[in-house]
Amino acid sequence: MIEGVRKSRCEKQIFRHNDMAHLETLLRSAGDRPKLIVFESLYSMDGDLAPTQAICDLAARYGAMTYIDEVHAVGMYGPRGGGIAARDGTMERIDVIEGTLAKAFGCLGGYIAGSAQLIDAVRSYAPGFIFTTALPPAVCAAATAAIRHLKVSEWERERHQNRAGRTKAVLATAGLPIMENDTHIVPVFVGDPERCKQASDLLLARHGIYIQPINYPTVAKGTERLRITPSPNHDDELIDELADALVDVWEELGLPLNRRALAAE
């Protein structure tokens, strides 16, 4: 999404994270010029959510189009897995919805959804689309089956939220510095790039657990973290093993634990 903004060579203004007052100031200053608000629904590094209703209200007020990135939410949120906009009732108010066939749908590839006229314009003029290769039929069939299943099955979404909630509770009880949010993203704060990479290496070498280290430029310097995304298939035993492994690594690297949580336990 960011690369698309850069390659468009259009003037851009960056509004502060989820700051609707700042966004309104920028929209007002743009006057009658064509405007497009580009944002994510679920920010995967912190696990927080965009206020889609408020953004759509501002877009309507100032004559702007909207583009939402739902890649971390499709299949996992909304009554039929449509994403955060579906959950919030704002899908019909958004001009372009970007999603992925990976993650919840277990395949690969991506898509955008919008009006017939808009999609036809992208199909006709976007060089990145014109000069690409179509997905193999087997991948398309698998993605279609996954989407059809998740439209009608709530078990995976309910179980996913349950597993994420339990992971957060178990890690917090173990004294690990969970970065709180209301989604399935479970970031564990480290705050140092070298020790973040060391923690990831130790987890894999000593415990057979792979968790990717998240460092700059993906997150701001000083906010490095391990990012965990539990699946519906992670049972209680696996979550408990993860907590024990993380505590072992934290102690090995001299990373701080929440002693108050440990004392309460």
Side-chain angles (χ1 to χ4, degrees):
M1 186 174 68
I2 293 172
E3 192 65 14
V5 172
R6 289 171 176 165
K7 288 187 175 180
S8 73
R9 299 184 182 178
C10 294
E11 181 182 349
K12 68 177 185 294
Q13 299 285 342
I14 300 174
F15 67 95
R16 290 187 290 268
H17 182 62
N18 281 350
D19 187 332
M20 295 299 98
H22 188 218
L23 175 58
E24 183 168 15
T25 297
L26 296 177
L27 290 169
R28 187 185 300 115
S29 67
D32 294 331
R33 299 172 62 189
K35 298 173 285 293
L36 175 65
I37 305 171
V38 180
F39 61 103
E40 295 183 59
S41 64
L42 194 162
Y43 294 93
S44 63
M45 294 301 119
D46 289 334
D48 55 340
L49 299 170
T52 63
Q53 289 282 9
I55 290 173
C56 289
D57 289 345
L58 288 175
R61 187 178 308 161
Y62 293 96
M65 294 178 66
T66 48
Y67 183 111
I68 190 171
D69 177 348
E70 288 264 36
V71 299
H72 294 281
V74 291
M76 294 178 278
Y77 295 86
R80 297 200 304 163
I84 296 300
R87 188 201 69 175
D88 292 351
T90 53
M91 287 185 77
E92 297 299 324
R93 305 182 68 191
I94 295 173
D95 295 291
V96 186
I97 298 174
E98 172 191 334
T100 181
L101 301 175
K103 305 186 189 307
F105 297 129
C107 297
L108 59 88
Y111 63 88
I112 60 169
S115 68
Q117 295 88 343
L118 187 147
I119 297 302
D120 189 53
V122 172
R123 185 183 294 115
S124 302
Y125 292 101
F129 178 82
I130 294 170
F131 297 108
T132 192
T133 301
L135 290 173
V139 172
C140 294
T144 301
I147 293 168
R148 285 174 175 164
H149 173 74
L150 288 175
K151 276 186 173 182
V152 297
S153 176
E154 289 292 337
W155 181 88
E156 289 84 357
R157 281 186 283 279
E158 292 173 357
R159 174 73 172 175
H160 189 219
Q161 292 298 318
N162 175 275
R163 296 294 84 192
R166 189 178 192 281
T167 300
K168 291 177 181 179
V170 170
L171 298 191
T173 300
L176 292 154
I178 301 299
M179 301 169 69
E180 293 294 335
N181 61 67
D182 295 323
T183 67
H184 66 281
I185 305 295
V186 187
V188 185
F189 183 82
V190 178
D192 177 88
E194 292 186 5
R195 290 201 287 179
C196 192
K197 178 63 166 61
Q198 290 171 349
S200 176
D201 291 344
L202 270 174
L203 281 169
L204 183 59
R206 186 179 292 180
H207 300 280
I209 297 172
Y210 177 67
I211 299 175
Q212 189 170 350
I214 306 297
N215 294 330
Y216 177 85
T218 305
V219 296
K221 293 180 180 179
T223 67
E224 295 82 6
R225 79 238 9 216
L226 299 179
R227 189 189 64 161
I228 302 163
T229 51
S231 82
N233 296 319
H234 285 101
D235 59 23
D236 289 355
E237 182 179 354
L238 289 173
I239 293 171
D240 292 342
E241 289 176 0
L242 171 64
D244 292 340
L246 284 168
V247 169
D248 176 66
V249 167
W250 247 244
E251 291 176 344
E252 174 73 19
L253 297 177
L255 292 166
L257 291 167
N258 183 355
R259 298 297 173 186
R260 184 177 301 175
L262 293 172
E265 182 184 13

PDB file of all heavy atoms in Angstrom, residues 243-265:
ATOM      1  N   ALA A 243       4.715 -19.833  27.064  1.00  0.00           N
ATOM      2  CA  ALA A 243       4.979 -18.960  28.209  1.00  0.00           C
ATOM      3  C   ALA A 243       6.254 -19.375  28.936  1.00  0.00           C
ATOM      4  O   ALA A 243       7.094 -18.526  29.280  1.00  0.00           O
ATOM      5  CB  ALA A 243       3.783 -18.973  29.164  1.00  0.00           C
ATOM      6  N   ASP A 244       6.422 -20.676  29.178  1.00  0.00           N
ATOM      7  CA  ASP A 244       7.625 -21.165  29.855  1.00  0.00           C
ATOM      8  C   ASP A 244       8.880 -20.851  29.045  1.00  0.00           C
ATOM      9  O   ASP A 244       9.915 -20.449  29.600  1.00  0.00           O
ATOM     10  CB  ASP A 244       7.526 -22.673  30.083  1.00  0.00           C
ATOM     11  CG  ASP A 244       6.450 -23.043  31.099  1.00  0.00           C
ATOM     12  OD1 ASP A 244       6.047 -22.168  31.888  1.00  0.00           O
ATOM     13  OD2 ASP A 244       6.017 -24.213  31.098  1.00  0.00           O
ATOM     14  N   ALA A 245       8.795 -21.030  27.733  1.00  0.00           N
ATOM     15  CA  ALA A 245       9.949 -20.761  26.870  1.00  0.00           C
ATOM     16  C   ALA A 245      10.305 -19.276  26.877  1.00  0.00           C
ATOM     17  O   ALA A 245      11.490 -18.910  26.950  1.00  0.00           O
ATOM     18  CB  ALA A 245       9.642 -21.230  25.447  1.00  0.00           C
ATOM     19  N   LEU A 246       9.299 -18.423  26.818  1.00  0.00           N
ATOM     20  CA  LEU A 246       9.565 -16.982  26.829  1.00  0.00           C
ATOM     21  C   LEU A 246      10.184 -16.545  28.152  1.00  0.00           C
ATOM     22  O   LEU A 246      11.123 -15.734  28.176  1.00  0.00           O
ATOM     23  CB  LEU A 246       8.273 -16.209  26.569  1.00  0.00           C
ATOM     24  CG  LEU A 246       7.784 -16.190  25.115  1.00  0.00           C
ATOM     25  CD1 LEU A 246       6.357 -15.658  25.042  1.00  0.00           C
ATOM     26  CD2 LEU A 246       8.708 -15.349  24.242  1.00  0.00           C
ATOM     27  N   VAL A 247       9.684 -17.059  29.263  1.00  0.00           N
ATOM     28  CA  VAL A 247      10.265 -16.727  30.564  1.00  0.00           C
ATOM     29  C   VAL A 247      11.724 -17.169  30.624  1.00  0.00           C
ATOM     30  O   VAL A 247      12.595 -16.434  31.107  1.00  0.00           O
ATOM     31  CB  VAL A 247       9.448 -17.366  31.701  1.00  0.00           C
ATOM     32  CG1 VAL A 247      10.195 -17.248  33.031  1.00  0.00           C
ATOM     33  CG2 VAL A 247       8.074 -16.700  31.814  1.00  0.00           C
ATOM     34  N   ASP A 248      12.018 -18.368  30.133  1.00  0.00           N
ATOM     35  CA  ASP A 248      13.392 -18.861  30.103  1.00  0.00           C
ATOM     36  C   ASP A 248      14.292 -17.926  29.301  1.00  0.00           C
ATOM     37  O   ASP A 248      15.401 -17.580  29.732  1.00  0.00           O
ATOM     38  CB  ASP A 248      13.425 -20.264  29.490  1.00  0.00           C
ATOM     39  CG  ASP A 248      14.840 -20.799  29.350  1.00  0.00           C
ATOM     40  OD1 ASP A 248      15.501 -21.034  30.376  1.00  0.00           O
ATOM     41  OD2 ASP A 248      15.300 -20.963  28.194  1.00  0.00           O
ATOM     42  N   VAL A 249      13.829 -17.490  28.138  1.00  0.00           N
ATOM     43  CA  VAL A 249      14.608 -16.587  27.289  1.00  0.00           C
ATOM     44  C   VAL A 249      14.755 -15.224  27.954  1.00  0.00           C
ATOM     45  O   VAL A 249      15.841 -14.611  27.929  1.00  0.00           O
ATOM     46  CB  VAL A 249      13.942 -16.461  25.906  1.00  0.00           C
ATOM     47  CG1 VAL A 249      14.539 -15.307  25.111  1.00  0.00           C
ATOM     48  CG2 VAL A 249      14.079 -17.772  25.141  1.00  0.00           C
ATOM     49  N   TRP A 250      13.687 -14.725  28.551  1.00  0.00           N
ATOM     50  CA  TRP A 250      13.747 -13.414  29.227  1.00  0.00           C
ATOM     51  C   TRP A 250      14.803 -13.449  30.349  1.00  0.00           C
ATOM     52  O   TRP A 250      15.575 -12.510  30.503  1.00  0.00           O
ATOM     53  CB  TRP A 250      12.370 -13.069  29.783  1.00  0.00           C
ATOM     54  CG  TRP A 250      11.731 -11.886  29.104  1.00  0.00           C
ATOM     55  CD1 TRP A 250      11.414 -10.694  29.652  1.00  0.00           C
ATOM     56  CD2 TRP A 250      11.334 -11.792  27.716  1.00  0.00           C
ATOM     57  NE1 TRP A 250      10.844  -9.860  28.719  1.00  0.00           N
ATOM     58  CE2 TRP A 250      10.786 -10.499  27.527  1.00  0.00           C
ATOM     59  CE3 TRP A 250      11.391 -12.666  26.631  1.00  0.00           C
ATOM     60  CZ2 TRP A 250      10.305 -10.074  26.285  1.00  0.00           C
ATOM     61  CZ3 TRP A 250      10.907 -12.245  25.393  1.00  0.00           C
ATOM     62  CH2 TRP A 250      10.375 -10.974  25.236  1.00  0.00           C
ATOM     63  N   GLU A 251      14.810 -14.518  31.104  1.00  0.00           N
ATOM     64  CA  GLU A 251      15.778 -14.628  32.191  1.00  0.00           C
ATOM     65  C   GLU A 251      17.199 -14.786  31.658  1.00  0.00           C
ATOM     66  O   GLU A 251      18.152 -14.218  32.202  1.00  0.00           O
ATOM     67  CB  GLU A 251      15.406 -15.805  33.093  1.00  0.00           C
ATOM     68  CG  GLU A 251      14.117 -15.551  33.888  1.00  0.00           C
ATOM     69  CD  GLU A 251      13.684 -16.755  34.703  1.00  0.00           C
ATOM     70  OE1 GLU A 251      14.184 -17.869  34.439  1.00  0.00           O
ATOM     71  OE2 GLU A 251      12.828 -16.578  35.619  1.00  0.00           O
ATOM     72  N   GLU A 252      17.361 -15.540  30.583  1.00  0.00           N
ATOM     73  CA  GLU A 252      18.677 -15.734  29.972  1.00  0.00           C
ATOM     74  C   GLU A 252      19.260 -14.413  29.485  1.00  0.00           C
ATOM     75  O   GLU A 252      20.460 -14.153  29.634  1.00  0.00           O
ATOM     76  CB  GLU A 252      18.560 -16.715  28.796  1.00  0.00           C
ATOM     77  CG  GLU A 252      19.831 -16.901  27.984  1.00  0.00           C
ATOM     78  CD  GLU A 252      20.889 -17.707  28.718  1.00  0.00           C
ATOM     79  OE1 GLU A 252      20.533 -18.426  29.679  1.00  0.00           O
ATOM     80  OE2 GLU A 252      22.072 -17.603  28.327  1.00  0.00           O
ATOM     81  N   LEU A 253      18.418 -13.555  28.911  1.00  0.00           N
ATOM     82  CA  LEU A 253      18.883 -12.289  28.350  1.00  0.00           C
ATOM     83  C   LEU A 253      18.810 -11.124  29.335  1.00  0.00           C
ATOM     84  O   LEU A 253      19.200 -10.004  29.003  1.00  0.00           O
ATOM     85  CB  LEU A 253      18.065 -11.941  27.098  1.00  0.00           C
ATOM     86  CG  LEU A 253      18.183 -12.918  25.924  1.00  0.00           C
ATOM     87  CD1 LEU A 253      17.270 -12.486  24.784  1.00  0.00           C
ATOM     88  CD2 LEU A 253      19.631 -13.010  25.445  1.00  0.00           C
ATOM     89  N   GLY A 254      18.332 -11.384  30.534  1.00  0.00           N
ATOM     90  CA  GLY A 254      18.225 -10.319  31.532  1.00  0.00           C
ATOM     91  C   GLY A 254      17.166  -9.287  31.193  1.00  0.00           C
ATOM     92  O   GLY A 254      17.273  -8.121  31.600  1.00  0.00           O
ATOM     93  N   LEU A 255      16.133  -9.701  30.476  1.00  0.00           N
ATOM     94  CA  LEU A 255      15.040  -8.792  30.157  1.00  0.00           C
ATOM     95  C   LEU A 255      14.089  -8.702  31.350  1.00  0.00           C
ATOM     96  O   LEU A 255      13.877  -9.688  32.053  1.00  0.00           O
ATOM     97  CB  LEU A 255      14.293  -9.279  28.917  1.00  0.00           C
ATOM     98  CG  LEU A 255      15.083  -9.198  27.604  1.00  0.00           C
ATOM     99  CD1 LEU A 255      14.397 -10.021  26.515  1.00  0.00           C
ATOM    100  CD2 LEU A 255      15.238  -7.757  27.160  1.00  0.00           C
ATOM    101  N   PRO A 256      13.486  -7.545  31.585  1.00  0.00           N
ATOM    102  CA  PRO A 256      12.664  -7.368  32.790  1.00  0.00           C
ATOM    103  C   PRO A 256      11.338  -8.116  32.706  1.00  0.00           C
ATOM    104  O   PRO A 256      10.670  -8.113  31.664  1.00  0.00           O
ATOM    105  CB  PRO A 256      12.454  -5.863  32.852  1.00  0.00           C
ATOM    106  CG  PRO A 256      12.626  -5.388  31.449  1.00  0.00           C
ATOM    107  CD  PRO A 256      13.636  -6.289  30.824  1.00  0.00           C
ATOM    108  N   LEU A 257      10.963  -8.741  33.815  1.00  0.00           N
ATOM    109  CA  LEU A 257       9.645  -9.352  33.968  1.00  0.00           C
ATOM    110  C   LEU A 257       8.825  -8.518  34.924  1.00  0.00           C
ATOM    111  O   LEU A 257       9.374  -7.764  35.745  1.00  0.00           O
ATOM    112  CB  LEU A 257       9.788 -10.781  34.515  1.00  0.00           C
ATOM    113  CG  LEU A 257      10.406 -11.811  33.571  1.00  0.00           C
ATOM    114  CD1 LEU A 257      10.781 -13.079  34.341  1.00  0.00           C
ATOM    115  CD2 LEU A 257       9.468 -12.152  32.435  1.00  0.00           C
ATOM    116  N   ASN A 258       7.522  -8.642  34.822  1.00  0.00           N
ATOM    117  CA  ASN A 258       6.605  -7.928  35.709  1.00  0.00           C
ATOM    118  C   ASN A 258       6.511  -8.682  37.034  1.00  0.00           C
ATOM    119  O   ASN A 258       5.746  -9.628  37.163  1.00  0.00           O
ATOM    120  CB  ASN A 258       5.224  -7.802  35.056  1.00  0.00           C
ATOM    121  CG  ASN A 258       4.257  -6.997  35.912  1.00  0.00           C
ATOM    122  OD1 ASN A 258       4.573  -6.611  37.032  1.00  0.00           O
ATOM    123  ND2 ASN A 258       3.076  -6.748  35.370  1.00  0.00           N
ATOM    124  N   ARG A 259       7.292  -8.258  37.986  1.00  0.00           N
ATOM    125  CA  ARG A 259       7.352  -8.979  39.275  1.00  0.00           C
ATOM    126  C   ARG A 259       6.032  -8.911  40.030  1.00  0.00           C
ATOM    127  O   ARG A 259       5.700  -9.804  40.799  1.00  0.00           O
ATOM    128  CB  ARG A 259       8.478  -8.396  40.134  1.00  0.00           C
ATOM    129  CG  ARG A 259       9.855  -8.553  39.496  1.00  0.00           C
ATOM    130  CD  ARG A 259      10.227 -10.026  39.336  1.00  0.00           C
ATOM    131  NE  ARG A 259      11.461 -10.204  38.570  1.00  0.00           N
ATOM    132  CZ  ARG A 259      11.939 -11.373  38.201  1.00  0.00           C
ATOM    133  NH1 ARG A 259      11.263 -12.477  38.500  1.00  0.00           N
ATOM    134  NH2 ARG A 259      13.056 -11.468  37.509  1.00  0.00           N
ATOM    135  N   ARG A 260       5.257  -7.847  39.813  1.00  0.00           N
ATOM    136  CA  ARG A 260       3.972  -7.715  40.485  1.00  0.00           C
ATOM    137  C   ARG A 260       3.025  -8.847  40.039  1.00  0.00           C
ATOM    138  O   ARG A 260       2.329  -9.442  40.868  1.00  0.00           O
ATOM    139  CB  ARG A 260       3.345  -6.357  40.176  1.00  0.00           C
ATOM    140  CG  ARG A 260       2.046  -6.094  40.911  1.00  0.00           C
ATOM    141  CD  ARG A 260       1.537  -4.692  40.593  1.00  0.00           C
ATOM    142  NE  ARG A 260       2.504  -3.680  40.960  1.00  0.00           N
ATOM    143  CZ  ARG A 260       2.347  -2.391  40.705  1.00  0.00           C
ATOM    144  NH1 ARG A 260       1.253  -1.970  40.074  1.00  0.00           N
ATOM    145  NH2 ARG A 260       3.271  -1.516  41.061  1.00  0.00           N
ATOM    146  N   ALA A 261       3.031  -9.150  38.732  1.00  0.00           N
ATOM    147  CA  ALA A 261       2.187 -10.231  38.235  1.00  0.00           C
ATOM    148  C   ALA A 261       2.638 -11.568  38.802  1.00  0.00           C
ATOM    149  O   ALA A 261       1.834 -12.415  39.190  1.00  0.00           O
ATOM    150  CB  ALA A 261       2.225 -10.267  36.704  1.00  0.00           C
ATOM    151  N   LEU A 262       3.958 -11.766  38.919  1.00  0.00           N
ATOM    152  CA  LEU A 262       4.487 -13.005  39.440  1.00  0.00           C
ATOM    153  C   LEU A 262       4.133 -13.160  40.918  1.00  0.00           C
ATOM    154  O   LEU A 262       3.819 -14.246  41.390  1.00  0.00           O
ATOM    155  CB  LEU A 262       6.009 -13.056  39.245  1.00  0.00           C
ATOM    156  CG  LEU A 262       6.473 -13.134  37.782  1.00  0.00           C
ATOM    157  CD1 LEU A 262       7.979 -12.977  37.712  1.00  0.00           C
ATOM    158  CD2 LEU A 262       6.050 -14.441  37.145  1.00  0.00           C
ATOM    159  N   ALA A 263       4.181 -12.061  41.667  1.00  0.00           N
ATOM    160  CA  ALA A 263       3.866 -12.118  43.090  1.00  0.00           C
ATOM    161  C   ALA A 263       2.385 -12.430  43.305  1.00  0.00           C
ATOM    162  O   ALA A 263       2.012 -13.187  44.210  1.00  0.00           O
ATOM    163  CB  ALA A 263       4.217 -10.770  43.751  1.00  0.00           C
ATOM    164  N   ALA A 264       1.525 -11.865  42.431  1.00  0.00           N
ATOM    165  CA  ALA A 264       0.097 -12.128  42.544  1.00  0.00           C
ATOM    166  C   ALA A 264      -0.200 -13.598  42.285  1.00  0.00           C
ATOM    167  O   ALA A 264      -1.105 -14.175  42.886  1.00  0.00           O
ATOM    168  CB  ALA A 264      -0.674 -11.242  41.562  1.00  0.00           C
ATOM    169  N   GLU A 265       0.557 -14.176  41.372  1.00  0.00           N
ATOM    170  CA  GLU A 265       0.347 -15.596  41.084  1.00  0.00           C
ATOM    171  C   GLU A 265       0.706 -16.460  42.288  1.00  0.00           C
ATOM    172  O   GLU A 265       0.065 -17.433  42.597  1.00  0.00           O
ATOM    173  CB  GLU A 265       1.214 -15.990  39.877  1.00  0.00           C
ATOM    174  CG  GLU A 265       1.041 -17.428  39.446  1.00  0.00           C
ATOM    175  CD  GLU A 265       1.981 -17.804  38.307  1.00  0.00           C
ATOM    176  OE1 GLU A 265       2.908 -17.020  38.042  1.00  0.00           O
ATOM    177  OE2 GLU A 265       1.784 -18.872  37.726  1.00  0.00           O
TER     178      GLU A 265
END
